[in-house]
Amino acid sequence: MGKLDGKVAIITGAAQGMGASHAQRFIEEGAKVVITDLNEGGGRRLADELGENALFLQHDVTSPADWRRVVHEAEETFGPVTVLVNNAGVLGPISETVEFAEEEYLKVCAINQHSQFYGMKAVIPSMRKAGGGAIVNISSTAGLVSIVGAPNIAYVGSKFASRGMTKHAAVQYGPDNIRVNSVHPGYIKTPMMAAATDESGGGIAAQVPLRRMSEPEEVSSLVLFLACEGSSYISGMEHVIDGGLTAQ
Ligand SMILES: NC(=O)c1ccc[n+]([C@@H]2O[C@H](COP(=O)([O-])OP(=O)(O)OC[C@H]3O[C@@H](n4cnc5c(N)ncnc54)[C@H](O)[C@@H]3O)[C@@H](O)[C@H]2O)c1
């Protein structure tokens, strides 16, 4: 028995990095997974590798119309959606607030924050049809504190917003048996952090009590837990996975 047998999941930004790792783990645990991303080549390659329980759909998470199409195609292919992982995100440029361009601010917020609202809005009716569901919104340690090295004000603001919207949706849709949680990773080895190593930036590892960055698969274990029945009474909470970074 897989932990996600019978579940239908949408994972955004899943062509690479943590999203790709979550998709692989979910398939191993018996889910049917809709992998979405702007990156068509990477997304299709991954879906081919993962087999018949994976479907790739090209998707811009900042487009509400795209969201409606993705949920419709997911339902047509696999049935009502029971898990949503709002994972797609960008850092945006490294910039001080007084020099940060307004259009860049709006772009980062659209991808990291507005997308999570569009995703929840599009998917909740499908979850209601299924009798419930689990939503995992990927925030960051930058959604808890302004960590040293946070790229810009929009990244921190959008990740705090993800945490707040998570609580609002959890309260509103608890009676529909829909659980909503946020995940707050620290330093994870993905293409987003390509320039970072345990040694870079004066030693990223040295900032972390566990003295290393995390592999994406370690975050997948947490996301899997929040998506499956093992976390059946956990909702509206932030789940930090940062090797102790924000405990300091
Ligand atoms: N890597 C880290 O250390 C770290 C730490 C904390 C939080 N996070 C968060 O985790 C999530 C995943 O990050 P990652 O490190 O795997 O990043 P990544 O850059 O490796 O992957 C992100 C994916 O999102 C996709 N994407 C970007 N804009 C999109 C859009 N408009 N529509 C659809 N897809 C889009 C990209 O094509 C890419 O495949 C992000 O929300 C990120 O902010 C990452």
Side-chain angles (χ1 to χ4, degrees), residues 16 18 23 32 35 50 53 55 62 65 93 95 107 114 117 123 127-128 144 148 161-162 175 200 208:
Q16 66 177 34
M18 278 187 263
K32 303 203 185 296
I35 292 164
L50 295 179
N53 288 332
L55 170 72
T62 68
S95 176
K107 195 168 144 191
H114 305 169
F117 156 58
V123 109
M127 290 183 169
R128 280 174 153 163
L144 300 167
V148 177
S162 165
S200 67
V208 182

Side-chain angles (χ1 to χ4, degrees), residues 39-227:
N39 171 356
E40 189 175 5
R44 282 205 192 288
R45 250 193 319 279
L46 178 65
D48 287 348
E49 267 170 46
L50 295 179
E52 61 183 15
N53 288 332
L55 170 72
F56 171 73
L57 296 175
Q58 195 176 24
H59 175 206
D60 179 351
V61 292
T62 68
S63 159
D66 255 18
W67 268 107
R68 288 190 287 274
R69 176 181 54 81
V70 163
V71 173
H72 177 74
E73 289 191 35
E75 285 188 330
E76 291 288 297
T77 311
F78 294 135
V81 179
T82 43
V83 178
L84 169 64
V85 184
N86 269 323
N87 167 78
V90 291
L91 286 171
I94 297 171
S95 176
E96 258 188 56
T97 300
V98 291
E99 283 151 12
F100 194 44
E102 285 82 359
E103 54 275 21
E104 289 293 350
Y105 175 89
L106 293 172
K107 195 168 144 191
V108 171
C109 290
I111 298 171
N112 293 1
Q113 174 187 348
H114 305 169
S115 68
Q116 298 196 351
F117 156 58
Y118 302 146
M120 290 193 281
K121 177 171 170 164
V123 109
I124 284 169
S126 193
M127 290 183 169
R128 280 174 153 163
K129 275 186 232 163
I135 297 173
V136 183
N137 289 324
I138 305 301
S139 176
S140 168
T141 45
L144 300 167
V145 291
S146 180
I147 50 165
V148 177
N152 55 62
I153 191 165
Y155 191 77
V156 174
S158 62
K159 293 300 188 182
F160 264 78
S162 165
R163 178 180 168 211
M165 294 194 303
T166 295
K167 289 185 186 293
H168 183 76
V171 171
Q172 204 151 52
Y173 295 105
D176 291 301
N177 192 31
I178 296 171
R179 298 182 297 105
V180 192
N181 288 285
S182 58
V183 164
H184 301 259
Y187 297 126
I188 319 298
K189 290 181 196 163
T190 69
M192 179 181 274
M193 296 290 283
T197 63
D198 282 346
E199 291 77 34
S200 67
I204 280 190
Q207 297 174 28
V208 182
L210 283 179
R211 294 290 184 266
R212 63 178 179 87
M213 294 177 73
S214 164
E215 300 297 333
E217 293 76 16
E218 298 177 270
V219 182
S220 298
S221 297
L222 174 59
V223 174
L224 166 66
F225 172 67
L226 293 171

